[in-house]
Amino acid sequence: MAEQTALADPHSEEGGKPDAAVVRDALGVGTAVGLSGFAFGVTSAGSGLSLPQTCALSLLVFTGASQFALVGALAAGGNPLTAAAGAFFLGVRNAFYGLRLSQLLALPRAVRPFAAHWVIDETTAVALAQPTRRGVRLGFTVTGLTLYLLWNLTTLVGAVGAEAIGDTDAWGLDAAGPAVFLALLAPMLKSATERAVAGIAVLLGLGLLPVLPAGVPVLVAALAAPAVLYVTGRRPARTGGDTPSGKPGGTAATPAPTRAEAPTGVPEGAPEDISHDTPHHTPHGTSHDDVPHDASGEDR
């Protein structure tokens, strides 16, 4: 049986969305998220990074959540290596996106290193929503191009604006980064497992924040994912609920044969040792010795 994926037939264009619809969806996602680069530019400049450093992060890293995690840890006084490690582990998810998109896009080898730079949450979501390879490539390209251009442009505007307004804390702009991150994360928490991972990670991060160096609580909070997956994997699977035997997941008791299932030639309820050679029909529940005989020995 063929694997059921986002592409029923990668080479078939039947049933695909019109190109205009794919471009519209891709532009919508790219524009909405790309404007968030302004918040990153403000946050980065307020954390002490220079304008070239801020713009280099958006140009070369281009993973919004990882960028916010990096500048947030630096703003809190964390060690640069610790901050970079937290950003790195947060961006590892993009490598798993790439494993799936490499099959769907099927790009030439020379193009793959450049396309890999655009493998992020938004481009992956738009690409996986398309039923044909043409739609996947078009959605990925338009989303990536729109988001990359807008993100870097608004990063520059935000960084320049932050230098112009001075103290960003006085404007409350230090909360812009976490707010944008939560806005991007919340719609992705659809299952109970995902919500449990997020909740435990928040508790670990906030609980360890006063006792660990800046940036380290983020690394510890990442342990929430394997912990929840381990507990979920250890939970016994349900196999259909309670059975007639009264034991969950047990084997149902074999029902007694009904009248229609009784062996042919043997009356229901009769002892199993009744001889089939007996010439006389024995009434149900009566033994041969109980049948009255006359003097001639014949049955009455």
Side-chain angles (χ1 to χ4, degrees), residues 197-257:
V197 170
I200 295 176
V202 169
L203 293 177
L204 288 174
L206 294 180
L208 298 175
L209 189 60
V211 296
L212 293 179
V216 177
V218 176
L219 301 178
V220 178
L223 298 177
V228 171
L229 292 177
Y230 175 78
V231 173
T232 304
R234 297 275 295 179
R235 185 180 303 168
R238 297 181 63 87
T239 57
D242 294 343
T243 60
S245 62
K247 298 179 180 180
T251 304
T254 304

Side-chain angles (χ1 to χ4, degrees), residues 50-76:
S50 65
L51 179 61
Q53 289 173 329
T54 299
C55 292
L57 277 176
S58 285
L59 287 168
L60 302 178
V61 180
F62 189 54
T63 54
S66 298
Q67 293 177 231
F68 279 115
L70 176 63
V71 298
L74 293 177

Side-chain angles (χ1 to χ4, degrees), residues 104-148:
L104 300 181
L105 293 170
L107 297 173
R109 292 184 179 274
V111 181
R112 292 178 186 178
F114 302 97
H117 194 52
W118 287 357
V119 176
I120 54 177
D121 297 330
E122 293 75 22
T123 55
T124 303
V126 174
L128 292 180
Q130 312 309 320
T132 62
R133 175 159 293 163
R134 176 182 176 83
V136 170
R137 289 177 172 177
L138 184 60
F140 176 85
T141 303
V142 175
T143 305
L145 180 61
T146 305
L147 184 52
Y148 188 75

Side-chain angles (χ1 to χ4, degrees), residues 10-182:
H11 302 285
S12 174
E13 302 302 326
E14 297 181 0
K17 295 168 61 175
D19 290 351
V22 177
V23 172
R24 182 188 64 238
D25 295 342
L27 286 175
V29 173
T31 302
V33 180
L35 295 176
S36 303
F38 178 82
F40 170 72
V42 172
T43 304
S44 179
S47 302
L49 272 70
S50 65
L51 179 61
Q53 289 173 329
T54 299
C55 292
L57 277 176
S58 285
L59 287 168
L60 302 178
V61 180
F62 189 54
T63 54
S66 298
Q67 293 177 231
F68 279 115
L70 176 63
V71 298
L74 293 177
N79 183 282
L81 294 179
T82 304
F88 171 79
F89 285 113
L90 194 57
V92 165
R93 70 191 188 281
N94 296 335
F96 295 98
Y97 296 160
L99 293 176
R100 186 70 186 104
L101 287 179
S102 64
Q103 300 174 359
L104 300 181
L105 293 170
L107 297 173
R109 292 184 179 274
V111 181
R112 292 178 186 178
F114 302 97
H117 194 52
W118 287 357
V119 176
I120 54 177
D121 297 330
E122 293 75 22
T123 55
T124 303
V126 174
L128 292 180
Q130 312 309 320
T132 62
R133 175 159 293 163
R134 176 182 176 83
V136 170
R137 289 177 172 177
L138 184 60
F140 176 85
T141 303
V142 175
T143 305
L145 180 61
T146 305
L147 184 52
Y148 188 75
L149 292 177
L150 274 180
W151 181 268
N152 283 280
L153 177 61
T154 54
T155 295
L156 175 62
V157 173
V160 172
E163 292 183 351
I165 64 177
D167 186 10
T168 56
D169 292 344
W171 294 80
L173 297 179
D174 55 326
V180 172
F181 178 73
L182 291 177

